[in-house]
Amino acid sequence: MRSGGARRVMAAGAACGFFLTALAACGGERAEVRHADVPRPGGPSGTARPGPSVRPAPARVPGIGERLWQQVPVGTRQVVAVYGEHEDSPDSTLVLYEKRGSAWQLIRSWPAHNGKRGWTTNHSEGDERSPVGVFTLSDAGGILDDPGSMLPYTQDEEAFQTPYYWDEAHWHDFDYVIAIDYNRLPGTRPDDPTRPLGQKKGGGIWLHLDHGDGTLGCVSVPESAMEYLLRRLDPEDTPVMVMGDRANLRA
């Protein structure tokens, strides 16, 4: 059940619009419709559209160039790709791919949001942009009870409460979160304040529930997507997030 208690500000403050010192940066399922080489949410089913032939599954995730693809760890069998509309847009599409044999298969896709000012290859605290790159996904948590996550899950109503002064639309942002391993120590709970690159490089970049518009640097998706990903992402498959605007992803 959702917490009915008063919303409180963490003593450490806010990031991703959450902790001010501990964290500094921050529906349904839809099937694939292709737009150039980047999937888009929508369409009647998750299978290939009718046509004269069935396109074979790609040897690597579509829309990701060699530079970023080389950063995907050997052994990764799950990729969460976030395709930003363009560098200054908060709108994106999140797609889950899994490796089957030597090919990557699209599993599900959802509409998503990223930083309200878009994307950056040089993220800094407070820039309201999401960092472009390849990041492991190792830890999860939230206000709500563990829905069956295979990632280590921290349930904490106090730690994941949003600040009391936030608009009501944001009150459930952190019901579920998955930490994106940008400037953090993998293997720690999502709200751990350690910043290996320093506080100025930001942190607290999470995948969390969507509130209908851009974030302070996180990526947000519908609640159904969060529940699905928490139950699906398997540490044994070394899941990673490859995220950015389309131009930077292809570079």
Side-chain angles (χ1 to χ4, degrees):
M1 297 176 62
R2 301 187 187 278
S3 169
R7 300 270 163 177
R8 287 177 281 178
V9 185
M10 287 293 298
C16 187
F18 186 17
F19 307 109
L20 290 174
T21 55
L23 302 177
C26 268
E29 301 161 357
R30 303 204 182 177
E32 176 191 18
V33 172
R34 304 196 67 83
H35 176 79
D37 60 341
V38 179
R40 287 288 180 270
S45 72
T47 58
R49 292 184 294 171
S53 62
V54 176
R55 183 177 299 179
R60 74 182 187 196
V61 170
I64 309 299
E66 186 67 21
R67 178 181 61 84
L68 286 178
W69 191 248
Q70 288 299 317
Q71 299 176 38
V72 175
V74 174
T76 288
R77 302 187 66 81
Q78 290 180 315
V79 168
V80 179
V82 183
Y83 300 96
E85 290 299 315
H86 57 76
E87 189 175 31
D88 299 320
S89 172
D91 300 319
S92 52
T93 299
L94 183 145
V95 186
L96 173 64
Y97 292 92
E98 293 183 351
K99 195 172 186 181
R100 305 288 173 81
S102 60
W104 289 91
Q105 180 176 333
L106 186 154
I107 304 300
R108 297 285 173 88
S109 70
W110 299 270
H113 287 100
N114 48 269
K116 61 178 63 177
R117 296 183 62 196
W119 298 90
T120 179
T121 57
N122 187 24
H123 180 66
S124 60
E125 183 176 6
D127 66 7
E128 298 184 348
R129 292 179 179 269
S130 297
V132 175
V134 178
F135 309 104
T136 52
L137 300 171
S138 55
D139 303 281
I143 291 175
L144 301 182
D145 291 338
D146 184 351
S149 174
M150 286 189 280
L151 299 173
Y153 188 93
T154 301
Q155 191 277 331
D156 191 330
E157 293 186 8
E158 299 296 326
F160 296 104
Q161 287 283 4
T162 55
Y164 73 90
Y165 53 83
W166 279 17
D167 185 88
E168 184 176 355
H170 296 264
W171 285 0
H172 297 290
D173 281 9
F174 307 139
D175 280 1
Y176 294 124
V177 306
I178 297 175
I180 298 170
D181 292 338
Y182 167 83
N183 198 19
R184 70 178 301 271
L185 292 178
T188 61
R189 52 187 284 162
D191 60 327
D192 184 275
T194 307
R195 301 287 176 260
L197 302 177
Q199 194 68 28
K200 290 183 178 180
K201 295 301 293 179
I205 305 295
W206 294 349
L207 178 63
H208 63 70
L209 268 64
D210 191 62
H211 50 253
D213 57 15
T215 71
L216 297 183
C218 295
V219 174
S220 61
V221 290
E223 183 174 6
S224 61
M226 286 298 303
E227 291 176 343
Y228 184 88
L229 291 168
L230 283 166
R231 294 174 181 143
R232 186 87 178 196
L233 295 176
D234 187 344
E236 293 189 0
D237 289 331
T238 317
V240 301
M241 180 172 281
V242 184
M243 53 192 264
D245 58 283
R246 288 182 287 173
N248 272 307
L249 288 177
R250 292 192 186 102

